[in-house]
Every structure is written in C-alpha cells, then in structure tokens.
C-alpha cells in the first residue's frame, strides 16, 4: 500500500467563511463552537501525523459565492508551501446558465480536480441546504455538470436518500463525468424504513458506473465516532459499489467535534479488516488516487 489518502477534508481561515463568522446557527452536524476558529494546514498535518496518510483532497468550505476563485488560489498556495493537500474540489455555481466562465477561472489552479455545489435538501429544515429538492433535474445544472468533462473534472455529489433517484438520473445524463457521492449518501434515518430508503437509493446510484462513494462523514447525524455504525455503513456501501468504487475521507475538522483522527482511522480500519489486502488498499487510497488523479 502506498499510504492512505484522505479524500475529504477541509482547512480554513474563519474570516473567509460567513457561516463561521456570523451568529451560531443550527447545523447538520450539531453544535460547532470548537471549530468556530481557524483550522490551518499545520493543525491538519498534526492531526494526521502517524496515521499513514500520505495524500489528501481538500473540499470546498462555502466561502462567499463570489470568493470561489480566491478559495482555490489560497488552497493552491497552501499546497505549494506545505505539500498538502494534493487535490482541490472547488466551488462553482452550476445553477447558472453557463458555468464555463467560472470553470475557466478555476482551471488556472493545477490542483483543481473537480467541483462541489451541495444539492442536499431534506424535509427537516435543520438538515436542509439546497433551496429545493429536485435540483438534480435542473437543466442548467445538468448542462454545467456535463461540461465538467471538458475540463477532466469530477462532481462531488451531495444528496439525501430521497434525492438519490434524481441524482442517478443526473449521473446517467453525464456519462463522461465521474460523480463522487459524499458521505456514503448521508444516512440520517436509522429506522428500518429509513435504512430501506437509503439502501434502495444507494442501489440505484451504484448501478451507474460513473458514481463512486466516499466513506466519510459517518458521525454527522449521530455526533460521535461509533465503530459499529461505521462498520455497518462502510460494509454495506462496499457491498453495493465494490472497493474499487469506495474511498475513505475523514471530514476533518467536522468529525474533530467528537473524535481524534487516530480513533477515526481505527474505526475504518476495523470496518474493512475482513477484506483482502487489495480491497483494503483500494478503499484507503487507490480509489482516491485514481478518481482524483493524484499520481
């Protein structure tokens, strides 16, 4: 194994993020006072030290919309100075009529490998981010996401179970784009009915060859690191997608609200200990290297 890849983490300066500067608000991950501050690359490197992580992928953190290029530029400079991260998932507003001017600006930064605009909507307003539930069928979004193929970029897809059928249709409409499902589909309803809806949605997405799934953010709704819960979601997701289409991500510093990095990694290692060495290597690094073209 060539070392682990953390395929989903953040760094930030608090002053750049309106949601970390303004008054405290209900968030999908609960109270967040401990991360309402700078989270610099030096702290991230301290967090991952000794855990086998040799490469990482930065995912956008919701700067003000017009600061999308500034965000990519700052992370690019950070990588040049510190050697981490190794790829950037930037923000672009793919709901506009033509996002190519944004893509052209982002293309100036060689570490950009893809785009994320969060599309998740939930009946519970505390979990709601997008303005409406059916953005995956929006013609502008479909056209702009398809255009990512011209840049060789992927789309980080963030939806809840109830949106997965629409998300699969979006993926099918853009066959030349790789879709990277965030947080294993964000299972938030652990009731039998909720689990069934999530499983059916994941089956639908797994049927799309151009969709892969991040194994990340699994403490978001239970607000703790529970190895049994991690193992349950990880094993079911790998069963559906295969290890060659699953990739580990820490979601730090969000998960730092309730766990240490070493404890988090241990939970994932425990979840995949029954796989063979090749499959473990895919989940913990090789899939991310391929999908994000890390080299």
């Amino acid at each position: 194994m060539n070392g682990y890849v953390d395929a989903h983490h953040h760094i930030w300066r608090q002053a750049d993020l309106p949601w970390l500067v303004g008054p405290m608000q209900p968030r999908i991950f609960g109270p967040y006072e401990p991360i309402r501050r700078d989270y610099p690359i030096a702290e991230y490197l301290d967090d991952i030290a000794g855990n086998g992580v040799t490469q990482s992928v930065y995912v956008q953190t919701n700067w003000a919309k017009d600061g999308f290029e500034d965000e990519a530029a700052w992370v690019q400079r950070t990588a040049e100075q510190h050697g981490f991260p190794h790829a950037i998932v930037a923000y672009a507003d793919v709901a506009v009529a033509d996002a190519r001017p944004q893509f052209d600006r982002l293309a100036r930064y060689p570490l950009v490998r893809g785009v994320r605009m969060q599309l998740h909507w939930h009946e519970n307003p505390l979990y709601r981010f997008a303005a409406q539930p059916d953005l995956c069928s929006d013609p502008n979004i479909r056209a702009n996401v398809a255009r990512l193929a011209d840049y060789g970029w992927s789309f980080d897809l963030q939806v809840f179970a109830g949106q997965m059928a629409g998300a699969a249709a979006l993926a099918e409409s853009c066959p030349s784009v790789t879709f990277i499902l965030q947080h294993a589909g964000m299972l938030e309803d652990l009731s039998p009915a909720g689990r069934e809806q999530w499983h059916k949605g994941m089956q639908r997405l797994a049927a799309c060859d151009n969709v892969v799934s991040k194994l990340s953010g699994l403490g978001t709704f239970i607000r703790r690191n529970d190895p049994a819960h991690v193992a349950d979601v990880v094993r079911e997701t790998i069963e559906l997608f295969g290890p060659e289409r699953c990739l580990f991500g820490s979601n730090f510093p969000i998960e730092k609200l309730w766990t240490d990095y070493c404890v988090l990694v241990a939970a994932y290692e425990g979840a995949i200990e029954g796989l063979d060495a090749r499959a473990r290597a895919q989940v913990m690094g090789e899939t991310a290297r391929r999908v994000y073209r890390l080299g």
Side-chain angles (χ1 to χ4, degrees):
M1 185 181 292
N2 297 316
Y4 295 166
V5 175
D6 182 348
H8 193 108
H9 77 90
H10 314 292
I11 52 173
W12 59 56
R13 300 173 300 198
Q14 182 183 8
D16 295 321
L17 306 184
W19 65 275
L20 279 182
V21 175
M24 292 287 293
Q25 300 288 339
R27 301 288 176 195
I28 196 170
F29 41 75
Y32 56 100
E33 288 91 340
I35 58 170
R36 201 163 178 260
R37 57 178 178 82
D38 291 355
Y39 183 67
I41 192 65
E43 184 175 351
Y44 174 74
L45 293 176
D46 284 344
D47 285 334
I48 67 172
N51 288 289
V53 176
T54 59
Q55 293 177 296
S56 76
V57 178
Y58 168 89
V59 178
Q60 61 86 213
T61 57
N62 294 324
W63 289 41
K65 281 190 175 184
D66 59 2
F68 72 97
E69 184 183 357
D70 294 334
E71 180 181 17
W74 175 67
V75 180
Q76 179 75 41
R77 289 195 304 271
T78 298
E80 291 166 356
Q81 293 165 4
H82 297 270
F84 272 78
H86 298 81
I88 298 169
V89 177
Y91 173 82
D93 184 354
V94 294
V96 300
D98 188 348
R100 283 174 292 188
Q102 297 173 70
F103 297 164
D104 290 341
R105 291 169 65 183
L106 291 172
R108 300 169 185 171
Y109 307 97
L111 289 185
V112 173
R113 296 290 189 273
V115 162
R116 177 174 79 159
M117 176 176 154
Q118 292 154 287
L119 304 179
H120 59 288
W121 184 95
H122 198 281
E123 291 179 357
N124 181 347
L126 296 180
Y127 294 168
R128 190 177 302 163
F129 187 90
Q132 59 193 69
D134 57 350
L135 286 178
C136 289
S137 63
D138 181 278
N140 285 346
I141 289 177
R142 289 199 170 192
N144 285 318
V145 171
R147 288 167 176 146
L148 292 173
D150 297 333
Y151 297 79
W153 292 347
S154 56
F155 185 70
D156 272 38
L157 174 69
Q158 189 152 336
V159 292
F160 283 111
Q163 300 174 283
M164 287 179 180
L170 172 62
E172 289 167 345
S173 75
C174 306
S176 298
V177 176
T178 296
F179 288 74
I180 304 168
L181 181 66
Q182 312 289 274
H183 310 326
M186 300 205 297
L187 174 61
E188 46 79 31
D189 183 353
L190 298 179
S191 70
R195 288 296 303 259
E196 179 66 16
Q197 183 186 34
W198 172 80
H199 182 84
K200 287 182 176 179
M202 293 288 278
Q203 279 184 312
R204 178 74 176 85
L205 286 169
C208 304
D209 291 340
N210 59 328
V211 179
V212 302
S213 180
K214 280 185 184 172
L215 306 174
S216 58
L218 302 184
T220 299
F221 300 100
I222 61 173
R223 295 167 190 173
R224 66 184 185 278
N225 179 50
D226 182 341
H229 177 69
V230 170
D232 190 29
V233 175
V234 164
R235 291 169 186 168
E236 192 164 346
T237 303
I238 292 174
E239 183 178 342
L240 290 167
F241 284 83
E244 73 283 358
R245 292 168 60 198
C246 290
L247 52 163
F248 161 74
S250 71
N251 200 31
F252 257 51
I254 305 300
E255 295 266 332
K256 192 170 181 171
L257 287 167
W258 43 75
T259 192
D260 295 329
Y261 203 96
C262 61
V263 177
L264 182 70
V265 168
Y268 281 89
E269 290 174 332
I272 62 172
E273 63 183 356
L275 301 178
D276 63 33
R278 173 63 176 156
R280 295 196 304 271
Q282 289 172 321
V283 170
M284 298 304 294
E286 296 307 317
T287 300
R289 287 190 182 90
R290 184 187 76 249
V291 168
Y292 285 120
R293 296 179 290 112
L294 301 183

